[in-house]
């Protein structure tokens, strides 16, 4: 009798065969010198191309969802399948053999971070209203956390939410908001009580991104494209049933999002970018440049490969633990740090092998195309909590080292110093 | 040998039993006493390891007096030994010699293995090349085979010098890869009673917790183990297993250094603050933790792979990854551990140098970075 997993594999294969084309070659095989040579992490597409890709992503997610593969691990009551992380992995492995649209614009933030947060903290009404729409690709969600004066020190945020009637009025500015320009909803953290210590006066809301008073302005990234934005909130009305978690209990909601963010960023091993800095592709790069016998190049290739595989092993072990019902632990931060480091090293290693043909587009296949990755990797050390903040977390929460002295978590928020010019009594900090 | 059935609870129990044993028998004082002793390890503790915990027999096959477990279980033991820096011939006798004999098979292996499993015989395996390396490749001058064997099976004699033999002065049985008429083969010398033409010279060592000797053979009687000319396949298996075992030891040692640094960073006060509140120290500790976590993942995965667990990666690749990553991690963490301790970390009395010595010697034991990175590329087909 076929096992439950065998049946699942058969079901997925039937679905994929019916709705997608199988790739000509295995995803990990290198087609050196052939086809697309762009190695894109952040998009540099013009708006019409970007919009078409977003539409394709939504359509593919819809197809997945309609066939029961949109949200494998979600509860059935909200449109999920009630299966395990292992099913997710098996599905991803099978889908990798087919040509399907990239769905990162939906999955990284909306499905990877906001969905789990709504599931954990939302009322049944909110879950019913948004989870099926998110996981069916109907809508995209963004994360309205960072502000100009509150990045690493997220709890120092100043966007205000004030009660009015049976709802709230929001005023303030968010920044670095990825995919806001495609999003229908955003998860916003707002200050609701400045007289409480900074972590205790924050409340989380689901904001309609099309509501009056929401102004989204694109920010251009160093990589050339505009995938993040400034979001200005001016007298934006949010009804109280769109509050997530208790009033002044928003920090706990935020922590759920941040935990999922670390796992979401660190876990992205595969994909075209991962393949570009993996051994088979880099070996072909050395071969094509006559460097396969160069001892120094081999050494760096091997060092990178050892660390990349070890990080992959760590991710697999983390997934096996999730499967056994354990919570994400410090591995998520470790794996995020390693991911950023490995990808950065890989990009710079390739650049060294390619040499001057990387600095101007000569038209040669697989040379100038690496600039996109080189111009993207700096962000990996910043987004989702900077490298320095990850290290503070590991040292303080895992190893139990003492906190930075002078960080004030007790005084009322309104008394804290929030910029060099201001006169609060404390200093900003964690 | 299937090890998929051992649950994580059982592994935790094994770990805590070994850890308790090490705490009782191999604290720092005991380690230092063993270092200063004639033999280099405490033979009473060695006997208790066999009698009370059955550690020597754990991962040897049942038909040779073992318990039939695999590397997944053995690496738990090795990690605890590495954490304690236990001086013992475990790596040489159980891991190197034990694996070589099991891989070789045959009557001679069957004669020696039960004693190893019982802890009553200690054996070791000499590195094959003249420079103390483990390659049979013949690429550099240093790859030439150190010892040659005369023709035959039972009445063979060995000639040559193996320059760096782990526990070579004390082992009862010396296994030697020697160039024979059919190519390199594995040979056994009964050294316990002092064989003819055998000279064993203990050498001064960087890692005080592991003894090394120069061993010279002059028409020394030996017996062939396994097939004539069969050393290449045996060595390949030995290196996968031994580097995986060493990786677990290295993770244990690295963890001990991380704990020592963290504890000290909480205790030591300068400028009116615990030094662990200075971000330079804090971030050093986070870097150490990151290295330990990744090394731990690599060592675990290699153990699963070498045991042939169903969804594990290729054993050659995983063992090579673990050897590289754990060697680098242990050395880095042991080095930073001295730095976090400041002046006291540079004293003879502090344990930091014992770990640093172990880390550096372990990194180079099977050839060092120049060898292990190439081994990884070779295993990955590059
Ligand atoms: C590509 C990209 C996408 C993003 N997408 C989103 C999004 O969708 N939604 C969202 O809310 N945010 C998003 N962000 C914002 C991101 O979370 C912040 O940039 C990040 O948390 C850092 O905050 P900051 O930029 O204000 O830098 P700062 O916090 O000002 O940090 C500046 C420097 O100071 C260091 N530093 C700060 N505090 C400490 C400390 N205590 N100890 C040691 N060093 C410290 C930092 O490590 C950094 O090196 C995105 C950022 C990027 C780059």
């Amino acid at each position: 009798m076929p096992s439950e997993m065998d049946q699942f594999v058969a079901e997925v294969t039937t679905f994929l065969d019916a709705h997608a084309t199988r790739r000509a070659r295995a995803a990990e095989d290198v087609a050196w010198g052939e086809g697309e040579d762009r190695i894109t992490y952040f998009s540099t597409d013009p708006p019409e191309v970007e919009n078409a890709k977003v539409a394709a992503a939504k359509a593919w997610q819809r197809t997945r969802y309609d066939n029961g593969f949109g949200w494998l691990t979600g509860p059935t009551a909200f449109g999920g399948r009630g299966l395990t992380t292992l099913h997710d992995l098996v599905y991803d492995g099978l889908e990798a053999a087919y040509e399907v649209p990239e769905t990162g614009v939906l999955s990284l933030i909306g499905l990877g971070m906001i969905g789990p947060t709504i599931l954990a903290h939302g009322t049944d009404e909110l879950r019913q209203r948004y989870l099926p729409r998110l996981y069916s690709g109907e809508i995209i969600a963004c994360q309205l956390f960072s502000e100009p004066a509150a990045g690493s020190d997220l709890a120092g945020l100043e966007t205000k939410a004030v009660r009015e009637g049976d709802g709230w009025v929001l005023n303030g500015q968010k920044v670095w908001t990825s995919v806001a320009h495609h999003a229908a909803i955003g998860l916003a953290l707002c200050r609701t009580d400045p007289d409480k210590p900074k972590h205790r006066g924050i409340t989380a809301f689901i904001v309609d991104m099309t509501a009056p008073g929401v102004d989204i302005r694109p920010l251009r990234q160093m990589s050339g494209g505009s995938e993040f934005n400034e979001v200005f909130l001016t007298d934006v009305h949010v009804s109280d049933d769109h509050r997530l978690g208790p009033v002044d209990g928003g920090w706990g909601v935020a922590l759920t999002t941040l935990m999922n963010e670390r796992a979401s960023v660190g876990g992205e091993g595969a994909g075209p970018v991962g393949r570009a800095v993996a051994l088979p592709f880099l070996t072909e790069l050395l071969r094509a440049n006559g460097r396969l016998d160069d001892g120094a190049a081999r050494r760096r290739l091997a060092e990178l490969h050892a660390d990349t595989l070890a990080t992959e092993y760590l991710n697999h072990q983390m997934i096996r633990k999730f499967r056994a019902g354990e919570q994400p632990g410090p591995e998520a931060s470790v794996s995020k740090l390693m991911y950023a480091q490995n990808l950065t090293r890989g990009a710079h290693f390739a650049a060294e092998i390619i040499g001057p043909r990387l600095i101007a587009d000569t038209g040669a296949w697989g040379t100038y195309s690496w600039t996109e990755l080189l111009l993207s990797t700096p962000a990996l050390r910043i987004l989702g909590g900077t490298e320095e903040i990850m290290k503070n977390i590991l040292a303080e929460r895992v190893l139990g080292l003492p906190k930075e002295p002078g960080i004030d978590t007790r005084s009322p928020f309104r008394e804290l110093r929030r910029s060099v010019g201001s006169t609060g009594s404390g200093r900003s900090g964690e | 040998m299937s090890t998929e059935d051992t649950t994580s609870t059982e592994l935790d129990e094994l770990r805590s039993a070994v850890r308790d044993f090490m705490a009782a028998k191999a604290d720092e004082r005991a380690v230092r006493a063993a270092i200063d002793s004639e033999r280099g390890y405490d033979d009473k503790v060695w006997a208790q390891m066999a009698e009370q915990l059955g550690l020597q027999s754990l991962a040897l096959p049942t038909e040779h007096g073992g318990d039939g477990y695999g590397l997944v279980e053995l690496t738990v033991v090795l990690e605890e030994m590495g954490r304690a820096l236990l001086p013992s011939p475990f790596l040489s006798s159980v891991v190197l010699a034990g694996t070589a004999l099991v891989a070789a098979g045959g009557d001679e292996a069957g004669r020696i293995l039960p004693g190893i499993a019982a802890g009553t015989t200690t054996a070791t395996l000499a590195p094959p090349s003249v420079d103390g390396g483990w390659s049979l490749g013949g690429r550099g001058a240093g790859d030439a085979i150190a010892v040659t064997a005369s023709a035959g099976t039972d009445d063979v004699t060995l000639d040559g010098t193996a320059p760096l033999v782990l526990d070579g002065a004390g082992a009862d049985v010396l296994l030697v890869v020697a160039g024979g008429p059919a190519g390199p083969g594995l040979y056994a010398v009964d050294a316990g009673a002092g064989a003819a033409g055998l000279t064993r010279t203990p050498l001064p060592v960087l890692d005080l917790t592991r003894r090394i000797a120069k061993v010279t053979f002059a028409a020394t009687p030996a017996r062939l183990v396994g097939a004539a000319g069969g050393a290449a396949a045996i060595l390949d298996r030995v290196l996968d297993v031994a580097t995986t075992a060493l990786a677990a030891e290295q993770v244990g040692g690295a963890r001990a250094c991380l704990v020592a640094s963290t504890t000290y960073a909480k205790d030591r006060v300068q400028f009116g603050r615990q030094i662990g509140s200075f971000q330079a120290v804090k971030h050093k500790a986070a870097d150490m933790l990151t290295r330990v976590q990744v090394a731990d993942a690599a060592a675990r995965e290699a153990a699963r792979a070498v045991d042939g667990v169903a969804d594990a990666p290729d054993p050659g690749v995983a063992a090579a990854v673990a050897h590289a990553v754990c060697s680098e991690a242990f050395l880095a963490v042991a080095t930073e551990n001295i730095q976090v301790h400041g002046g006291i970390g540079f004293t003879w009395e502090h344990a930091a140098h014992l770990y640093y010595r172990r880390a550096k010697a372990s990194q180079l034991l099977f050839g060092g970075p120049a060898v292990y990175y190439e081994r990884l590329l070779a295993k990955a087909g590059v």
Side-chain angles (χ1 to χ4, degrees), chain B residues 111-335:
Chain B
R111 186 184 67 85
I112 304 167
L113 276 167
I116 294 179
T120 48
T121 301
T122 59
T124 188
L125 172 66
S129 13
V130 286
D131 65 351
W134 290 84
S135 169
L136 288 176
R139 250 195 286 171
D143 286 343
I145 291 201
V147 179
T148 51
S150 64
T153 305
D154 286 334
D155 51 353
V156 192
T157 57
L158 301 182
D159 284 281
T161 297
L164 296 167
V165 184
L166 213 54
D167 299 311
D172 302 319
V173 176
L174 297 167
L175 297 178
V176 184
V177 172
L186 185 67
Y187 297 85
V189 173
D190 278 329
L198 179 69
T199 316
R200 311 204 264 179
T201 318
L203 303 176
V205 277
L206 170 64
D207 175 3
L208 304 173
T209 61
R210 260 209 263 269
R211 295 289 168 97
I212 294 178
K214 178 172 88 169
V215 179
T216 300
F217 306 92
T220 305
R223 279 181 309 277
L224 179 68
V225 188
I234 296 172
L235 263 191
D236 200 45
R237 174 72 186 169
V238 166
L239 286 178
D240 281 353
V241 172
T243 51
T244 299
L246 184 69
E249 249 197 38
Q250 288 167 318
V251 169
R255 253 188 219 295
C257 293
L258 173 61
V259 169
S261 285
T262 310
T263 308
Y264 194 69
K266 290 177 196 171
D267 287 348
R268 173 74 174 166
V269 173
Q270 286 291 282
F271 298 96
R273 291 162 56 174
Q274 293 157 283
I275 59 165
S277 69
F278 295 114
Q279 215 170 54
V281 174
K282 191 180 277 188
H283 284 190
K284 212 185 268 307
D287 288 340
M288 292 164 86
L289 172 66
T290 299
R291 281 193 174 271
V292 170
Q293 290 282 127
V294 174
D296 178 85
R300 276 169 202 268
E301 208 65 14
R304 299 174 76 244
V306 172
D307 279 351
V309 172
D311 61 345
D314 173 77
V317 170
V321 167
H323 186 34
V325 169
C326 298
S327 293
E328 299 289 319
F330 187 16
L331 183 58
V333 171
T335 306

Side-chain angles (χ1 to χ4, degrees), chain A residues 279 283 292 295 298-299 301-303 305-307 309-311 313-314 316-317 320 323 330-331 334 337-338 341 387-392 394-396 398-405, chain B residues 258 262 265-266 273-274 276-277 279 281-283 285-287 289-290 293-294 296-298 300-302 304 311 313-314 317-318 321 324-325 328 369-370 373-374 376-378 380 382:
Chain A
L279 187 83
T283 303
L292 212 47
R298 293 179 69 83
R299 168 70 173 266
L301 177 65
E303 285 174 351
H305 187 49
D307 283 343
L309 283 188
T311 308
Y313 298 161
L314 181 72
H316 288 167
Q317 287 166 21
R320 283 202 296 273
R323 216 199 287 168
E331 297 95 333
V334 168
L337 285 170
M338 291 300 295
Q341 199 180 307
E387 198 169 281
E388 290 75 17
I389 295 300
M390 287 297 131
K391 289 184 183 183
N392 286 349
L394 287 172
E396 292 172 10
V398 181
L399 298 176
L401 291 182
K403 286 198 181 276
E404 204 80 6
Chain B
L258 173 61
T262 310
K266 290 177 196 171
R273 291 162 56 174
Q274 293 157 283
S277 69
Q279 215 170 54
V281 174
K282 191 180 277 188
H283 284 190
D287 288 340
L289 172 66
T290 299
Q293 290 282 127
V294 174
D296 178 85
R300 276 169 202 268
E301 208 65 14
R304 299 174 76 244
D311 61 345
D314 173 77
V317 170
V321 167
V325 169
E328 299 289 319
Y373 285 120
E374 279 299 329
L376 171 59
L377 292 182
V382 177

Side-chain angles (χ1 to χ4, degrees), chain A residues 379-414:
Chain A
L380 296 176
R381 302 173 62 197
I382 300 169
L383 57 81
T386 68
E387 198 169 281
E388 290 75 17
I389 295 300
M390 287 297 131
K391 289 184 183 183
N392 286 349
I393 289 175
L394 287 172
E396 292 172 10
R397 312 254 171 89
V398 181
L399 298 176
L401 291 182
K403 286 198 181 276
E404 204 80 6
I407 289 181
D408 187 344
T409 53
R410 291 207 198 109
S411 305
F413 175 72
R414 79 163 78 246

Side-chain angles (χ1 to χ4, degrees), chain A residues 1-14 69 72-73 81-94 319 323, chain B residues 311:
Chain A
M1 206 185 74
S3 73
E4 186 269 335
M5 192 51 84
D6 292 338
Q7 280 172 21
F8 179 73
V9 169
E11 195 195 324
V12 174
T13 309
T14 311
F69 303 105
L72 294 174
T73 58
R81 271 287 287 278
L83 298 174
T84 65
T85 315
L86 179 61
H87 290 85
D88 247 350
L89 281 179
V90 167
Y91 179 88
D92 289 347
L94 292 168
I319 288 159
R323 216 199 287 168
Chain B
D311 61 345

Side-chain angles (χ1 to χ4, degrees), chain A residues 13-37:
Chain A
T13 309
T14 311
F15 159 69
L16 289 169
D17 283 338
H19 293 92
T21 345
R22 208 173 253 282
R23 282 179 199 279
R25 63 181 81 236
E28 57 281 358
D29 283 356
V30 179
W32 188 258
E34 278 173 38
E36 178 63 75
D37 69 343

Side-chain angles (χ1 to χ4, degrees), chain A residues 98-120:
Chain A
Y98 293 79
E99 309 273 3
V100 297
E102 271 285 320
T103 49
V105 65
L106 293 142
S107 60
L108 279 179
I109 295 172
L111 311 188
M113 293 152 56
I114 311 295
T117 310
I118 295 177
L119 182 63

Side-chain angles (χ1 to χ4, degrees), chain A residues 42 109 143-148 150-153 175-178 221 228 261 379 382-389 392 407, chain B residues 279 283:
Chain A
F42 291 110
I109 295 172
Q143 179 196 20
L144 296 162
F145 281 20
S146 303
E147 297 182 6
S152 300
D153 183 13
V175 75
W176 323 129
T177 318
S178 304
Q221 294 156 191
F228 58 23
E261 179 165 37
I382 300 169
L383 57 81
T386 68
E387 198 169 281
E388 290 75 17
I389 295 300
N392 286 349
I407 289 181
Chain B
Q279 215 170 54
H283 284 190

